[in-house]
Structures are given as structure tokens and as C-alpha cells.
Amino acid sequence: MLTMISKSGEVDRHPKDALLKLAESLSDEYQPVVGPLASRQAELFGIQAKRLQGTPSDVFRRPSYQSDEAVVSAEIFTKGDTLIVIRLVEYGRQRPVRNEEGKLERREEVIRLVAVSYAAPKIDKEVTAEFELHVKKIWGVELRERVTSPRKLEENAPLGRGGKAEVASVEDVRGAKALSDKSSRALAVSIKSSRGLLLSDAPKQIPPKDKGRLNEIVRSLIEAGIVETEIVVICSSTSSQVNKIPSVEVLQEMDRRNVRCSCGNYLSAERAEEALNITEHGKFMLDGSRWLSVLVLQGLIDLGVPIENIRMEQEYAGEEVDCMAEIYGKLVLFELKDKQFNLGNAYSFGAKVGIFRPDYPVIVTTEKVGSDARRHFMQSAQSGKRRMYYSKSDRSGAEGMVFIEGMGNLQEGLEGLVSSIAIEAFSPHVQSALSFSMASPGAILSAWAGKER
């Protein structure tokens, strides 16, 4: 698992040997990477490191992944499971100013930034705070997180019907987790469709292998507020249900008030059985498989995706979209299915992928992605007619599609997805920093030519 955070701060200048001073100020727990690699390179060539460092400044100057800025120096540090890349960046910017005659003219100015990126399975705020304290001592700047607007999301999916996603309530998350169990969900659906179910009939509604878990399943649904218990009074003469009562206490109160069955008996004299009924909250969570949407939304938030970067259950250009998110600058389109994902679903999702052109198309299903659907995605990509619809890398074995099959794999699948995107986003930072660990061939040969004989 990998997550990342990028921060930066604008400075007036980069002090001489700033990165060297930073490395010296840090504790031994911080291990530099670029400096030692460059020194080892000089050692392997038999060149004095200071002669290599004394070559022209542009020897180690590398353009960054952004065309309008240049990384003038960089270093990589490791501390525990946290990887830190610090880059000293410069870029030119034109700004309008008035000359002595009062006319507007554009002047070039150089903007200098200290850019720091962290990558770890889970970002440690103590590590970031400690590192940034040392950065502040060298450059005198407070680093701020580089939060960019979800540009791709806004361009491809402006707010449709339903508005932005909202953080799920504790009650919704608890209910969704209870319903993520297949047998619990089957029982809840049966209770909802039958408008109530005798507890004695409940074992018939779950798979045979889970009948021994019946008490556990019922308890979890009650605790999550999905179902509730009640007392059903069954007439001894007609064997029909004549009343539903919340509790035994209410039954006794009805006897005191002389309420009787249609056959004339007191209700307490008739057969009474415990039954299960769906709650309003349970109906809400089951309708449209909202429980699955809640789990995916909460999973993305737990992995650091801002709620502002997520859209849930909206309609764009006549297409219903279960979930769309922008993660580290990549557009991700989710299709959620509380059943097997079949060929018909594949055609529908393929159309959505063609419209929105996501970087990562993701299918989340409680069952499996059928072989016919997999074959469709493979054939579509191989034919070349829809190759542009799918991401470049084969992430799932079906030409760029990401498959998350079964609720037991949901968390791992989302972690793998976010980690893949984080690696893709963080790699340019590492690449630009590592370029400073190796001098250009010309610099090496110049130092070699100047070796003392």
C-alpha cells in the first residue's frame, strides 16, 4: 500500500549548499540517497567527488516532468517506511508591471519553490512535521499541501443530478458492513420482500453452510439497525397471522384491555412466535444497493481521497454513474454490482468508459465478472476499435480494467488501486531527484581529463 502527499513553499532564494545543510541537520534516522549515490559514482570512476561537484552547475540540472519548471537540485531521504523527496525548483513567470511612463509591460521573474513529497503506506504526521521544521530552519518557509482542484473530474463530470458526495453517517457505515456479509444480505432481502419473516423460517433463507451462524447473522442485522424483532400472534383455529406486536409486554397489556383474537381467545392464549421485520433504515440501505456505495465511498475516504474528489450516484449525459473519483490527478470510473457482472453489464459499462475516458475503469461486484464479460473487454481492446477507451497498462488481465470481485476483496482491491495510482504519480518526483545522483557523461569525462597523473 502506498499513499502520498505533496507540499511546497515559495522562497526568495535557495541558500548555498542548502540540501547539504539540511542533511547535516537531520538525525541519523534520516538516510540520504542521492548524495551517497553521486559520491559512490565518483569513487567507482576513480574521480574525486569535489572535482565532479565542481563541474558546471547545469551538469545536474534536469527538467522536471512539468515543462515550465526546472529542478535545480534534489535529494531523497528515507525514515522508517516513509520516503521523502525534496526538490528545489525554479521557473520563469511573466507579470504585468507599469514602467516609468505608466504603460503596462510584462517582466520576467524567477519563482523559486521548495517542493517536498512524502510516500508511505500511511503518512506519519509526526515525520512530516519534524522534517518540515528542519526545512523551515534552512529556507524560512512554511510548506503547504499542494491541493489541486479535481480538474479531470470537473471537466468530465460536472455536478450532475444529486450534487457532491456526502460523508456517510456512522449508522450507514455500520449497516453497510453488516450487509456486506452475503448470508446476512440474503436474509435481509427475504425479510424485506416478504414484509416480515418468522424466525423459525429464517434458516430457509440462508445457504446451508451458514445455518449454524443464524443467531450471529440475526444479531448483527439487529445491532446494525437493519431488522427488528416483533411478536406474531397466530390463530389456533385458522393458523393465520392475526396480529403483530412489538413485545410480550404489549401482548400482556392487550389482554388486560380485553383485546381478543377473531376466534374469541385472548391473544396470550394463541400461539406467539418471534418474527423479524425490516426497518426503514434497512429498506434505505437495500434499495439500489446503497450499502455497496457506502462501503466504496468510505473505503476511498479512508485511503485519503478527499470527499470533494468523489461523485456518487449521479447522472451525466443520460448515463447513470455509480461512482467517479479523481485520485492523485487520475480519473477513476467505478461500476458497482450486487450480482454477477455479465455481458449485458459489460456493454453498458463499455459505453460509459467510451464517454468519460477514465484513466482507470473499475468494476466492483459482490460476485464474479463473468467469462463472457471478460472476453468482451479483451476482444474490444484487441480489435483496436476501442483501444482508446481503456488505460494503457494491463492492470487486471482484461486490457486495463480493474476487477474487484467479492466483498472479502474490497479493501485489498481499493488499496491496490490507490497504491497503483500513487506510484504512478510519485514516480516522476523520484525520477527527477535520482537524475542528480548521476552526472552527465561530459561532466565525468571532464573530471577524468583533469585527474592528476
Side-chain angles (χ1 to χ4, degrees):
M1 179 62 200
L2 189 75
T3 58
M4 66 169 287
I5 294 178
S6 293
K7 297 187 176 184
S8 64
E10 187 174 332
V11 296
D12 294 330
R13 64 186 183 86
H14 292 304
K16 185 178 180 181
D17 298 328
L19 291 178
L20 179 60
K21 293 176 181 177
L22 176 65
E24 291 173 346
S25 72
L26 295 168
S27 69
D28 293 339
E29 294 179 283
Y30 290 87
Q31 296 295 319
V33 175
V34 173
L37 282 174
S39 297
R40 178 57 176 158
Q41 179 190 186
E43 180 183 340
L44 289 171
F45 275 104
I47 302 170
Q48 292 183 2
K50 64 180 181 180
R51 290 190 61 85
L52 192 58
Q53 293 168 357
T55 54
S57 60
D58 63 354
V59 166
F60 289 104
R61 190 181 181 95
R62 301 287 188 271
S64 74
Y65 56 94
Q66 295 183 13
S67 59
D68 61 343
E69 68 178 35
V71 179
V72 297
S73 189
E75 181 57 275
I76 299 174
F77 294 95
T78 63
K79 182 182 181 183
D81 59 2
T82 302
L83 187 65
I84 307 169
V85 176
I86 178 169
R87 299 172 301 136
L88 309 186
V89 178
E90 292 183 358
Y91 66 92
R93 179 176 68 184
Q94 289 188 343
R95 63 185 182 91
V97 294
R98 293 192 180 276
N99 58 22
E100 295 178 354
E101 299 175 354
K103 294 181 179 180
L104 281 176
E105 59 182 30
R106 305 186 73 83
R107 291 183 184 176
E108 184 82 16
E109 63 178 356
V110 177
I111 305 300
R112 297 176 178 84
L113 297 175
V114 178
V116 179
S117 299
Y118 305 92
K122 185 175 182 180
I123 303 297
D124 188 333
K125 292 184 178 180
E126 291 185 3
V127 172
T128 62
E130 180 184 47
F131 186 81
E132 288 162 30
L133 183 62
H134 287 271
V135 169
K136 185 176 181 179
K137 290 179 180 178
I138 303 295
W139 282 272
V141 64
E142 295 271 3
L143 298 182
R144 298 186 181 277
E145 188 170 351
R146 299 174 67 179
V147 180
T148 57
S149 62
R151 179 179 56 82
K152 285 189 175 182
L153 187 63
E154 291 171 352
E155 288 178 355
N156 289 271
L159 286 177
R161 188 183 65 188
K164 292 184 178 179
E166 296 182 358
V167 177
S169 67
V170 174
E171 182 184 30
D172 285 353
V173 173
R174 185 168 58 242
K177 288 181 178 178
L179 290 171
S180 67
D181 178 78
K182 185 175 181 179
S183 294
S184 299
R185 190 165 66 255
L187 179 58
V189 170
S190 296
I191 295 169
K192 179 176 180 285
S193 60
S194 61
R195 298 182 180 179
L197 187 71
L198 294 178
L199 188 57
S200 58
D201 291 333
K204 303 174 186 177
Q205 309 303 324
I206 60 177
K209 65 182 180 64
D210 283 338
K211 291 188 187 300
R213 295 178 52 226
L214 179 62
N215 290 338
E216 173 195 337
I217 290 171
V218 171
R219 184 172 62 252
S220 69
L221 290 174
I222 292 173
E223 291 176 350
I226 301 299
V227 301
E228 59 189 2
T229 58
E230 59 187 7
I231 303 297
V232 173
V233 179
I234 301 174
C235 178
S236 56
S237 299
T238 63
S239 297
S240 60
Q241 297 182 15
V242 296
N243 217 326
K244 293 182 178 181
I245 301 168
S247 65
V248 174
E249 291 76 11
V250 175
L251 181 64
Q252 295 170 346
E253 177 64 23
M254 293 178 77
D255 276 359
R256 286 195 292 270
R257 292 178 178 273
N258 202 31
V259 178
R260 298 171 184 257
C261 176
S262 58
C263 67
N265 291 333
Y266 281 105
L267 294 180
S268 61
E270 303 288 15
R271 181 160 62 97
E273 286 198 30
E274 190 174 5
L276 301 170
N277 195 21
I278 200 77
T279 64
E280 289 302 316
H281 181 241
K283 294 177 184 177
F284 175 71
M285 295 302 293
L286 287 172
D287 288 345
S289 300
R290 179 173 171 76
W291 66 271
L292 181 53
S293 298
V294 169
L295 288 182
V296 171
L297 173 62
Q298 191 61 43
L300 292 174
I301 293 174
D302 290 344
L303 291 170
V305 181
I307 187 69
E308 296 81 7
N309 287 24
I310 305 173
R311 304 281 189 271
M312 297 295 299
E313 300 174 354
Q314 295 195 16
E315 184 177 315
Y316 307 102
E319 292 288 344
E320 292 185 359
V321 176
D322 295 329
C323 176
M324 194 181 296
E326 185 165 334
I327 305 173
Y328 301 128
K330 300 296 181 180
L331 187 64
V332 184
L333 177 65
F334 291 88
E335 183 80 355
L336 313 181
K337 289 295 177 186
D338 183 11
K339 60 180 182 179
Q340 178 155 318
F341 191 92
N342 58 31
L343 182 59
N345 303 136
Y347 279 114
S348 174
F349 187 51
K352 294 176 188 178
V353 172
I355 293 171
F356 298 107
R357 307 289 176 88
D359 299 297
Y360 285 72
V362 182
I363 296 168
V364 179
T365 172
T366 58
E367 300 296 333
K368 293 282 187 181
V369 176
S371 57
D372 53 352
R374 289 175 179 268
R375 195 178 305 113
H376 167 74
F377 291 133
M378 293 290 288
Q379 291 173 348
S380 296
Q382 290 170 0
S383 69
K385 295 179 180 179
R386 301 183 182 179
R387 187 175 302 276
M388 67 181 68
Y389 290 2
Y390 306 113
S391 302
K392 292 184 293 184
S393 59
D394 182 7
R395 302 184 182 94
S396 64
E399 304 307 300
M401 290 284 177
V402 179
F403 299 151
I404 302 177
E405 301 172 296
M407 290 300 94
N409 297 317
L410 179 60
Q411 181 177 351
E412 182 181 354
L414 291 178
E415 287 179 355
L417 171 69
V418 173
S419 185
S420 295
I421 300 174
I423 290 170
E424 190 174 345
F426 196 74
S427 292
H429 301 187
V430 177
Q431 183 179 12
S432 63
L434 283 177
S435 67
F436 290 88
S437 66
M438 181 174 180
S440 68
I444 294 171
L445 294 174
S446 295
W448 184 273
K451 287 178 62 176
E452 294 182 4
R453 300 290 186 262

